[in-house]
């Protein structure tokens, strides 16, 4: 089994190029099958989740040409089935986008229910309710398969009870070729909502208002070919910004949209870091000990839940006590026990982690409980004194392209090893 071995306590320095946004890619790759012409998607992150969705698309007959590591050409014309098997998508929750895409295009989808990270109960009731509002019948079949079908889909006025990224994107997919117009109220505003809408519009859809809480979709008959480049990954960028902060380093994240990083930049400034924004770069420099602060996760433009574990690691090293309140998911503190084994202090009560900052962490053997928590533990290990081993890195590889390689580019001592022998070699090498 692959694991990371890390020798910490070294400031990270230099610049790192940020890949395309994983969460935008998942929506966009699903949306791409809705045209019967070749669609080229650039800046696709080379991460496991993107490969899973591509293989699911191939599984129903779409033509998928991997032009290079980060570019793919998809043609939905060759699709022969609307049936996505559990085996193909069990690893990713965003397989639900294939329901919206297939239902929107063929008026039928049979898709296995989502898996993904175990960060709390993650229902898709709002997606299904909204498909029904467009006129679909929806059943959950044995084996947890969602079967959605409609004689015709009719535009509707939909008010989401809660702000949901997934439901907002799924409804843009399902409604863009319906008959009549759709209005989505209380829509999510995350950067990747805007990216999926821009992509659909590049294929001929008529979607307005993405990025605000009211999205208006004028139905079109069909979508056409397009070439589109995915936005940079806000969460990957944020993770490297925090890597600079926890190692007291000086790191420039490149090819980013600084506006998308504002909630993270603001917190890092409060914690005493220097943050300098360029046109498409953000530099984070940390000298001396971080200061405590409080964070509360919220839908965009609030502090992203996907940055909560990484920021908690920074706060675990800050002077004073901080409160980390998780208000999006209900089980997102599974990394706390692992952090405690590295010397972190604090306790979780309800949806709040009360973090008592310590001066330093100590290397330990830990396991990644999920994607972002796994990345957070790597950050902790980079800051810690001594060696750490991080197991279950397949979670981290779901969403970070070449994570270890990019960190090595900043001077980190990190390697993937598969045996104690490899680990021993690493220890001898780094001393
Ligand atoms: C997406 C992101 C994920 C991120 C999350 C919040 C993708 C592929 N994943 O997940 O990385 O952590 O947004 O920014 O983009 N909810 C319901 N019923 C529903 C749908 C959602 O109750 O039908 C609840 C969820 O349980 C959660 C909240 O709404 O408490 C927000 O979830 P949502 O925004 O839908 O998250 P995802 O789309 O799953």
């Amino acid at each position: 089994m692959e694991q990371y071995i890390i020798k910490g306590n070294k400031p990270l320095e230099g610049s790192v190029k940020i890949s395309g946004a994983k969460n935008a890619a998942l929506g966009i790759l699903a949306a791409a099958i809705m045209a019967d012409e070749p669609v080229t998607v650039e800046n696709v992150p080379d991460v496991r989740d993107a490969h899973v969705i591509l293989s699911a698309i191939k599984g129903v007959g779409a033509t998928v040409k991997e032009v290079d590591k980060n570019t793919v050409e998809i043609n939905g014309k060759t699709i022969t089935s609307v049936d996505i098997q559990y085996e193909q998508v069990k690893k990713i929750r965003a397989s639900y986008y294939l329901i919206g895409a297939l239902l929107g295009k063929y008026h039928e989808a049979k898709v296995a229910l989502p898996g993904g990270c175990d960060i709390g109960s993650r229902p898709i009731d709002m997606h299904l309710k909204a498909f029904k509002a467009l006129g679909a019948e929806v059943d959950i079949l044995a084996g947890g398969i969602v079967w959605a079908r409609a004689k015709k889909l009719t535009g509707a006025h939909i008010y989401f009870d809660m702000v949901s990224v997934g439901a907002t994107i799924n409804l843009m997919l399902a409604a863009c070729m319906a008959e009549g117009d759709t209005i989505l109220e209380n829509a999510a505003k995350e950067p990747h909502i805007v990216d999926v809408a821009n992509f659909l519009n590049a294929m001929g859809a008529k979607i307005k208002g993405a990025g605000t809480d009211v999205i208006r979709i004028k139905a079109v008959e069909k979508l056409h070919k397009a070439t589109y480049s995915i936005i940079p990954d806000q969460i990957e960028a944020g993770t490297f910004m925090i890597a600079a902060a926890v190692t007291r380093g000086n790191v420039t994240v490149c090819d980013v949209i600084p506006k998308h990083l504002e909630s993270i930049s603001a917190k890092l400034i409060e914690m005493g870091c220097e943050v300098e924004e360029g046109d498409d770069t953000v530099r984070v420099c940390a000298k001396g000990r971080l200061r405590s602060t409080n964070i509360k996760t919220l839908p965009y433009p609030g502090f992203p839940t996907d940055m909560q574990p990484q920021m908690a690691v920074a706060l675990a090293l800050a002077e004073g006590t901080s409160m980390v309140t998780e208000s999006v998911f209900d089980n997102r503190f599974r990394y706390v026990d692992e952090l405690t084994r590295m010397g972190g202090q604090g306790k979780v009560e309800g949806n709040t982690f009360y973090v008592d900052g310590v001066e330093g962490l100590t290397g330990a053997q830990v396991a990644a409980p999920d994607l972002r928590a796994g990345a957070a533990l790597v950050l902790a290990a980079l800051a810690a004194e001594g060696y750490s081993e991080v197991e279950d890195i397949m979670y981290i590889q779901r969403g970070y392209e070449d994570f270890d390689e990019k960190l090595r580019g900043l001077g980190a001592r990190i390697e993937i090893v598969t045996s104690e022998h490899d680990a021993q070699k690493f220890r001898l090498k780094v001393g």
Side-chain angles (χ1 to χ4, degrees):
M1 280 293 241
E2 288 187 338
Q3 57 183 47
Y4 290 135
I5 182 160
I6 296 162
K7 186 175 186 197
N9 201 14
K10 179 167 188 259
L12 298 191
E13 276 168 12
S15 52
V16 57
K17 187 180 165 337
I18 299 306
S19 300
K22 176 200 76 130
N23 285 346
L26 298 176
I28 285 173
L29 295 174
I33 65 168
M34 297 183 75
D36 279 337
E37 292 178 353
V39 173
T40 302
V41 187
E42 299 165 349
N43 208 26
V44 180
D46 182 20
V47 295
R48 285 204 183 156
D49 276 14
H51 291 292
V52 170
I53 209 131
L54 284 173
S55 77
I57 290 170
K58 275 188 214 160
V60 289
T63 307
V64 176
K65 264 194 238 159
E66 296 189 19
V67 179
D68 62 39
K69 187 175 176 222
N70 301 110
T71 308
V72 67
E73 189 191 284
I74 295 171
N75 192 337
K77 192 177 178 185
T78 50
I79 289 177
T80 49
S81 154
V82 292
D83 205 341
I84 306 268
Q85 306 285 326
Y86 180 72
E87 273 312 306
Q88 280 172 329
V89 288
K90 67 176 178 194
K91 294 186 212 83
I92 58 162
R93 177 173 159 79
S95 57
Y96 54 45
Y97 291 142
L98 295 167
I99 312 176
L102 291 166
L103 179 68
K105 184 178 182 191
Y106 298 109
H107 295 178
E108 184 173 4
K110 257 190 199 172
V111 178
L113 266 183
C117 280
D118 180 11
I119 51 176
S121 88
R122 300 178 77 176
I124 59 162
D125 55 308
M126 287 194 296
H127 304 225
L128 305 185
K129 191 171 146 195
F131 292 147
K132 288 181 190 161
L134 297 180
E137 273 183 71
V138 182
D139 288 304
I140 313 282
L141 307 180
I145 292 164
V146 178
W147 183 29
R149 69 275 181 207
K151 286 213 172 64
K152 68 171 188 169
L153 290 170
T154 316
H157 194 140
I158 293 164
Y159 187 96
F160 292 117
D161 296 335
M162 280 170 75
V163 177
S164 162
V165 170
T168 303
I169 292 181
N170 231 343
L171 265 292
M172 293 196 301
L173 300 177
C176 65
M177 289 199 278
E179 285 178 31
D181 303 342
T182 294
I183 299 176
L184 305 178
E185 296 218 45
N186 199 24
K189 297 181 279 210
E190 268 68 4
H192 53 289
I193 306 276
V194 180
D195 209 34
V196 176
N198 286 343
F199 172 66
L200 285 165
N201 287 344
M203 291 200 298
K206 291 199 170 134
I207 301 175
K208 279 194 179 154
T212 75
D213 45 24
V214 184
I215 298 181
R216 293 168 198 277
I217 304 166
K218 258 191 161 334
V220 297
E221 240 171 66
K222 59 179 186 173
L223 300 178
H224 54 67
K225 65 181 170 191
T227 297
Y228 191 82
S229 182
I230 294 175
I231 53 164
D233 197 304
Q234 173 204 19
I235 306 300
E236 188 199 10
T239 303
F240 280 99
M241 288 164 71
I242 293 187
V246 296
T247 62
R248 299 188 185 180
N250 186 351
V251 171
T252 305
V253 290
C254 302
D255 293 353
V256 297
I257 300 173
K259 173 117 192 80
H260 294 167
L261 301 169
E262 273 171 2
S263 60
I264 303 156
S265 300
K267 282 294 158 192
L268 288 174
I269 291 168
E270 251 182 82
M271 292 165 72
C273 297
E274 204 181 292
V275 179
E276 189 184 276
E277 283 184 7
D279 288 344
D280 62 355
T281 58
V282 175
R283 186 175 68 85
V284 176
C285 177
K287 296 188 190 107
R289 191 147 178 218
L290 300 169
R291 292 195 292 268
S292 60
T293 184
N294 300 326
I295 60 161
K296 181 176 183 184
T297 64
L298 287 168
Y300 190 82
F303 191 87
T305 172
D306 285 357
M307 284 301 301
Q308 182 261 101
Q310 302 90 312
M311 187 53 97
V313 166
L315 295 172
L317 287 160
E319 191 161 7
T321 300
S322 307
M323 277 197 306
V324 175
T325 305
E326 174 57 58
S327 66
V328 179
F329 291 111
D330 57 18
N331 184 22
R332 217 162 185 180
F333 292 122
R334 294 193 321 137
Y335 61 89
V336 172
D337 287 346
E338 302 296 286
L339 189 58
T340 306
R341 294 184 332 99
M342 299 178 79
Q345 284 183 17
K347 60 173 189 286
V348 175
E349 269 176 25
N351 66 346
T352 301
F353 177 21
Y354 296 87
V355 193
D356 293 321
V358 292
E359 249 182 75
L361 296 168
T362 341
Q365 177 124 14
V366 293
D370 61 64
L371 163 58
R372 304 304 172 185
L377 291 172
V378 170
L379 301 186
L382 290 168
E385 181 67 46
Y387 289 94
S388 297
E389 280 160 42
V390 181
E391 295 172 2
D392 294 341
I393 64 169
M394 65 281 184
Y395 289 116
I396 302 171
Q397 291 164 335
R398 286 186 43 202
Y400 289 88
E401 177 173 335
D402 301 332
F403 196 37
D404 53 315
E405 197 181 313
K406 290 187 184 187
L407 286 167
R408 277 195 297 278
L410 298 172
R413 298 169 292 197
I414 176 171
E415 240 165 59
I416 295 182
V417 293
T418 49
S419 65
E420 183 44 41
H421 177 71
D422 288 351
Q424 200 53 39
K425 258 175 48 191
F426 174 82
R427 287 191 196 95
L428 283 172
K429 192 173 85 187
V430 301

